[in-house]
Amino acid sequence: VLRKGAIDEDVFEELEATLIQADMGVKTTHQLVEKMRERVKSDRLTDAEQLYTVLEEELVALMSQPSTDAHSAVQSASPHVALVIGVNGVGKTTTIAKLAHMHRLDGKKVVVAAADTFRAAAIEQLEIWAQRAGADIVKHKSGADPAAVAYDALAAAIARKCDQVIIDTAGRLHTKTNLMEELKKIKRVLGKLDPSAPHEVLMVLDATTGQNALSQARLFTEALGVTGIILTKLDGTAKGGIVVAIHQEFGIPVKFIGVGESLDDLKPFAPTEFVKALFE
Amino acid sequence: SLSEKLQKTLRNLRGLGKLSEKNMKDGLRDVRMALLEADVNYKVVKDFIGHVQDKALGREVLESITPGQQLVKVVYDELVRMMGKEAEPLRLSSEPPTVIMLIGLQGSGKTTTAAKLARSLRTRGHQPLLVAADVYRPAAVQQLIVLSEQLGIPAYSDENSNDPVGICRDSVQHARRSNRDVLILDTAGRLHINDELIEELRRIREILHPHEVLLVADAMTGQDAVNVAEQFHSRVGITGVILTKLDGDARGGAALSIKSVTGQPIKFAGIGEKLDAFEVFHPDRVASRILG
Ligand SMILES: Nc1nc2c(ncn2[C@@H]2O[C@H](COP(=O)(O)OP(=O)(O)OP(=O)(O)O)[C@@H](O)[C@H]2O)c(=O)[nH]1
Ligand SMILES: Nc1nc2c(ncn2[C@@H]2O[C@H](COP(=O)(O)OP(=O)(O)OP(=O)(O)O)[C@@H](O)[C@H]2O)c(=O)[nH]1
Ligand SMILES: [Mg+2]
Ligand SMILES: [Mg+2]
């Protein structure tokens, strides 16, 4: 990255190339580049290094904004219920294992719900992970109603006085109306046991995804109200810059990042580290 | 859509002589934005616009259609040409078993696609054998076995082995003994930058000499598609691509990025979760999608 020397048109072109290639998208990139042109004038910046420092500060501030949901009230709910959703193959099941593991390290009791009753060996996959993470699992037969599994999992967690319920759902494209209805039904059914549940609706997003992530965020949040994003596969070469565009447009914060395929490969989202990595 | 945008941008050019660098400049900027929004890689877009400009330059601005329509036609034709005008068939060996190896990033759809491919081959009179070579992902072998049972197509696995290379090697003997003429190897998802796992693929390739090594890639992949495709191709060597999840609303610009950086044909498209949601890749359909 062109970080030294005078600020000329080449620097802005390099900046645009970097942001676009980080999957920030045309709209967000143009907004940021325009903002930087203004800052060069208003702050009288003379060196490209200064420009990048200003931009990094701007991005960190953007990504650090707290979300609009009543976060603290929701955290104290017991059991705390997290509904995990997302399109096919992004890492939902593996991420749930990591979340369960994280809660277990805090000494919490965790129930995972095998509400993906559709995909081949989905229940078996979660069973193995639950065992490794030390979580209880509630499951029905393959083909069962996902809402019934979710309901039973919450009921069991209440009866066993567990701290966390994490619900695994089948991957689905956000454009499939009937599958989105299935998610809404899960949410409604949880509300019967606890009107405040689910306390979190976590959308799992693959860092290699491009602009389609905006459509995913839009439709999942319209259907259910997404409270946070978990950005997976950041151990690859993709930058995941689309979360900046998602934050701009929908105000949805990134809560965690996935950096590998093992139980401890989950980290809380750190805006400064994330922004630094964008420019590496 | 790009057509509508270009109609506006170039409306003053109608019947105004030839398309020149100057009068096309704004139109080309619209095309560039549309391609970037469609997830075509930044550098690929740069090259592509260069090609379009060369093709369009000097053309008479016809009276019969608008300059916008004319430019869209050049872009569309160039997209289709670059993504491989006609479908390229699967390479089958004259000495069975044909070996087809599926590789790619985690979650791209390899296991599901392996089953779809097996089903499609059986429809065309072949006797495929699915090989469960993913020993890492929990219940991955089980996933392939369940799919194979749904189809009534045999699957080879070895629950006592944690060596994917050995499993693949042994599957060849098994195919011969049971008269299966096509082997479909389902491998574990891996990062293009994981040296150890890339080396594992190279070893499988060395021992089995697959007739096809197909990169299974997600249609919603963004700018990173070039890095992934470039690495898998230079380090393992691919002979073709299968683009999955085209049943969503991703514009699919990754198709152009992958084709342009590897030069290998996109052979098939995954268009759903069911095992019959599989078809030959149509570059013209993806070209229209990319243009929006
Ligand atoms: N490298 C890497 N791989 C990951 C990460 N998270 C998940 N994976 C892998 O991605 C693949 C898909 O993960 P799953 O957990 O099955 O994804 P899913 O969203 O539940 O998939 P469906 O239920 O089929 O929609 C697996 O091979 C995981 O090991 C991550 O952070 N990094
Ligand atoms: N909608 C849709 N979903 C698909 C398509 N192909 C695969 N899937 C889904 O994508 C998810 C991941 O598919 P898998 O076959 O497990 O992917 P994989 O590449 O084998 O994953 P790893 O082995 O973990 O790397 C599953 O939920 C599949 O049902 C497709 O064409 N369309
Ligand atoms: Mg899953
Ligand atoms: Mg697989």
Side-chain angles (χ1 to χ4, degrees):
Chain A
V1 172
L2 221 66
R3 297 190 77 126
K4 297 207 200 63
I7 299 175
D8 56 16
E9 208 40 46
D10 279 353
V11 170
F12 286 110
E13 194 173 312
E14 181 80 16
L15 178 57
E16 186 204 49
T18 302
L19 297 179
I20 299 243
Q21 289 180 102
D23 282 315
M24 248 186 241
V26 170
K27 183 162 169 229
T28 304
T29 296
H30 283 176
Q31 284 174 355
L32 287 167
V33 171
E34 281 320 296
K35 206 162 203 173
M36 289 305 108
R37 285 187 193 277
E38 288 168 25
R39 291 293 297 265
V40 167
K41 294 203 191 97
S42 65
D43 298 16
R44 316 228 172 154
L45 305 178
T46 50
D47 190 87
E49 195 134 19
Q50 294 174 310
L51 177 61
Y52 273 91
T53 303
V54 167
L55 177 59
E56 285 184 14
E57 287 169 358
E58 177 80 22
L59 283 169
V60 170
L62 207 97
M63 298 307 288
S64 303
Q65 279 169 22
S67 58
T68 47
D69 70 358
H71 194 68
S72 51
V74 135
Q75 280 293 14
S76 56
S78 195
H80 179 268
V81 182
L83 179 62
V84 178
I85 64 180
V87 302
N88 309 71
V90 294
K92 298 177 292 301
T93 306
T94 312
T95 297
I96 287 169
K98 296 172 182 177
L99 286 168
H101 176 66
M102 183 187 74
H103 290 310
R104 290 293 298 141
L105 291 179
D106 285 341
K108 301 278 186 269
K109 287 176 67 181
V110 184
V111 172
V112 298
D116 176 356
T117 58
F118 168 75
R119 206 210 67 211
I123 298 171
E124 288 80 351
Q125 182 188 9
L126 187 63
E127 266 186 295
I128 293 170
W129 276 124
Q131 215 243 357
R132 291 181 189 178
D136 287 350
I137 182 168
V138 168
K139 58 178 174 127
H140 290 189
K141 301 224 315 267
S142 167
D145 177 7
V149 182
Y151 184 92
D152 284 358
L154 179 50
I158 291 169
R160 297 174 207 172
K161 299 210 177 11
C162 291
D163 306 291
Q164 298 279 344
V165 179
I166 315 174
I167 302 167
D168 190 14
T169 60
R172 69 205 63 219
L173 295 182
H174 46 298
T175 44
K176 308 208 167 166
T177 328
N178 57 328
L179 298 182
M180 297 304 276
E181 285 305 310
E182 181 181 90
L183 283 182
K184 288 184 196 171
K185 181 179 173 194
I186 295 176
K187 190 178 183 193
R188 272 199 308 277
V189 151
L190 290 170
K192 292 190 183 156
L193 281 173
D194 174 354
S196 66
H199 309 101
E200 290 261 32
V201 175
L202 299 170
M203 183 177 111
V204 179
L205 178 64
D206 188 325
T208 65
T209 309
Q211 300 308 298
N212 192 248
L214 283 166
S215 177
Q216 293 175 27
R218 176 172 305 115
L219 295 185
F220 277 115
T221 217
E222 270 174 27
L224 304 164
V226 173
T227 60
I229 285 174
I230 301 185
L231 187 63
T232 60
K233 309 180 197 172
L234 268 178
D235 46 319
T237 51
K239 302 290 184 177
I242 196 68
V243 296
V244 176
I246 290 176
H247 199 284
Q248 290 270 54
E249 196 159 336
F250 305 104
I252 305 172
V254 179
K255 302 247 164 144
F256 295 98
I257 61 171
V259 290
E261 303 188 68
S262 308
L263 280 179
D264 46 17
D265 287 327
L266 186 75
K267 297 193 198 154
F269 180 67
T272 309
E273 285 177 29
F274 176 76
V275 170
K276 277 226 177 317
L278 285 177
F279 297 109
E280 271 166 12
Chain B
S1 76
L2 179 64
S3 309
E4 291 163 355
K5 231 188 243 161
L6 285 178
Q7 308 290 37
K8 287 186 58 205
T9 306
L10 303 179
R11 67 180 169 275
N12 302 321
L13 291 183
R14 196 169 203 152
L16 219 61
K18 293 199 185 346
L19 285 175
S20 72
E21 248 188 71
K22 188 162 178 294
N23 65 27
M24 267 208 298
K25 187 156 161 291
D26 291 343
L28 287 178
R29 188 178 49 232
D30 285 348
V31 173
R32 181 173 173 267
M33 296 248 301
L35 294 176
L36 289 174
E37 284 167 351
D39 287 324
V40 182
N41 179 268
Y42 187 85
K43 298 197 172 108
V44 172
V45 170
K46 232 179 184 164
D47 290 342
F48 183 79
I49 296 293
H51 288 306
V52 166
Q53 186 165 315
D54 292 343
K55 287 263 153 78
L57 223 46
R59 282 197 186 187
E60 278 301 331
V61 181
L62 305 172
E63 277 290 350
S64 51
I65 62 174
T66 68
Q69 285 167 330
Q70 203 160 342
L71 190 55
V72 170
K73 178 95 178 53
V74 174
V75 173
Y76 177 83
D77 288 348
E78 194 57 16
L79 275 176
V80 173
R81 190 190 68 80
M82 283 190 66
M83 286 199 289
K85 273 210 239 77
E86 284 119 24
E88 275 213 32
L90 213 51
R91 260 179 241 180
L92 296 171
S93 172
S94 50
E95 293 174 23
T98 294
V99 180
I100 302 173
M101 188 174 166
L102 300 186
I103 70 177
L105 292 178
Q106 292 89 346
S108 62
K110 297 173 293 300
T111 304
T112 312
T113 301
K116 290 178 178 181
L117 186 56
R119 181 187 173 284
S120 159
L121 284 164
R122 181 186 51 189
T123 309
R124 296 193 285 146
H126 292 281
Q127 293 78 43
L129 176 68
L130 286 162
V131 180
D134 178 356
V135 301
Y136 307 107
R137 170 173 151 157
V141 172
Q142 188 59 18
Q143 183 186 3
L144 190 65
I145 289 175
V146 168
L147 294 178
S148 72
E149 285 172 350
Q150 285 176 7
L151 292 174
I153 289 178
Y156 176 80
S157 61
D158 183 352
E159 61 180 21
N160 296 318
S161 168
N162 62 0
D163 171 25
V165 182
I167 293 171
C168 289
R169 185 194 48 232
D170 294 347
S171 73
V172 181
Q173 267 195 49
H174 186 87
R176 293 213 174 99
R177 281 206 215 105
S178 47
N179 282 321
R180 309 307 293 179
D181 70 334
V182 187
L183 269 175
I184 302 171
L185 313 176
D186 178 25
T187 67
R190 67 204 64 213
L191 294 179
H192 46 303
I193 52 172
N194 184 321
D195 296 343
E196 209 177 313
L197 291 181
I198 291 294
E199 182 54 26
E200 181 183 275
L201 291 181
R202 291 166 60 87
R203 283 175 52 220
I204 295 174
R205 195 171 187 181
E206 244 167 76
I207 295 175
L208 271 79
H209 305 293
H211 304 87
E212 289 275 17
V213 178
L214 303 175
L215 176 65
V216 177
D218 197 318
M220 58 184 175
T221 311
Q223 296 291 307
D224 202 44
V226 290
N227 297 329
V228 176
E230 201 276 320
Q231 287 287 303
F232 273 111
H233 190 44
S234 64
R235 299 174 78 180
V236 182
I238 66 174
T239 60
V241 179
I242 301 181
L243 205 60
T244 61
K245 308 178 201 171
L246 273 167
D247 46 317
D249 60 350
R251 297 271 291 277
L256 181 62
S257 303
I258 293 173
K259 178 81 186 14
S260 108
V261 87
T262 63
Q264 300 306 307
I266 303 176
K267 299 209 168 186
F268 298 105
I271 54 169
E273 297 192 62
K274 304 228 166 75
L275 299 180
D276 57 359
F278 189 67
E279 61 183 24
V280 158
F281 180 74
H282 297 284
D284 52 338
R285 286 187 206 165
V286 176
S288 305
R289 232 174 131 124
I290 289 177
L291 291 181

